[in-house]
Amino acid sequence: MSQPETAHETSEEIDPIWTTSRTARQIYALGGVERDIGRLLSLAASSVSLLTLPQTDGPEDNLPQGEERSEQFVLEVSEYFERLDTIQVAIRSSLAHIRQSRIAPSAINAPPPGFVPTSLGVTIPTAGGGSGAARKEEDEQNTERWEDEEEEVFGSVSDQ
């Protein structure tokens, strides 16, 4: 069974930052999972609509009639299960990566109650947002943590 192509794989180039490490690739893949889940829900909704009696269709529904309706249902359900399989593989791959990386559970903090993440967990900096200094400091701290973790895992260059 072939893997369905997702919109993010065909319509845009991958930013080089997402290819710098296995972790970055896994994070990018999880962003794709998020988009795939949205598509999965859309496919489920349209499949249910195709199961309803044609007499209940509204004029704005634009649903096929007769044999075409059954064929469309089969296509939608097939794509649904292919997409579901893709999501399952991506999540299992990410979990395997986390296990292989031996990330301590204490390092993964749960968000506070009521937290709503931004789309794909990424925000675009706003001009004049006033948080540039805080963002720069946070970026520097993250870079230092990554360097410390890399040194811990791979050893320093002078050790070799």
Side-chain angles (χ1 to χ4, degrees):
M1 181 174 6
S2 67
Q3 295 287 335
E5 289 190 52
T6 55
H8 65 278
E9 291 172 343
T10 58
S11 65
E12 63 185 54
E13 290 292 320
I14 297 175
D15 188 324
I17 190 101
W18 297 116
T19 60
T20 57
S21 69
R22 184 164 184 237
T23 300
R25 288 189 299 273
Q26 288 295 322
I27 292 170
Y28 183 81
L30 286 173
V33 167
E34 182 179 14
R35 288 184 291 273
D36 284 347
I37 289 172
R39 177 67 181 144
L40 190 73
L41 295 173
S42 173
L43 287 166
S46 62
S47 296
V48 169
S49 295
L50 291 165
L51 285 174
T52 60
L53 294 172
Q55 297 87 341
T56 61
D57 294 349
E60 70 283 346
D61 291 340
N62 294 327
L63 294 170
Q65 300 297 318
E67 191 63 32
E68 224 179 275
R69 191 178 190 107
S70 297
E71 291 170 7
Q72 183 65 31
F73 175 75
V74 169
L75 291 173
E76 300 262 337
V77 169
S78 295
E79 184 181 345
Y80 175 89
F81 284 107
E82 287 176 5
R83 188 74 51 147
L84 185 61
D85 186 51
T86 301
I87 291 168
Q88 178 183 349
V89 168
I91 290 174
R92 284 184 175 184
S93 173
S94 294
L95 288 173
H97 174 70
I98 290 170
R99 285 187 193 107
Q100 182 182 13
S101 299
R102 298 177 184 244
I103 297 172
S106 60
I108 303 172
N109 298 322
F115 174 75
V116 178
T118 58
S119 178
L120 302 175
V122 178
T123 58
I124 298 173
T126 57
S131 63
R135 182 179 304 272
K136 183 178 179 186
E137 183 179 336
E138 182 180 348
D139 288 344
E140 288 172 358
Q141 290 173 350
N142 287 337
T143 301
E144 288 175 17
R145 279 191 215 115
W146 277 105
E147 289 170 351
D148 291 344
E149 287 179 21
E150 282 181 340
E151 187 173 310
E152 185 178 308
V153 172
F154 300 111
S156 69
V157 177
S158 62
D159 292 344
Q160 298 176 6

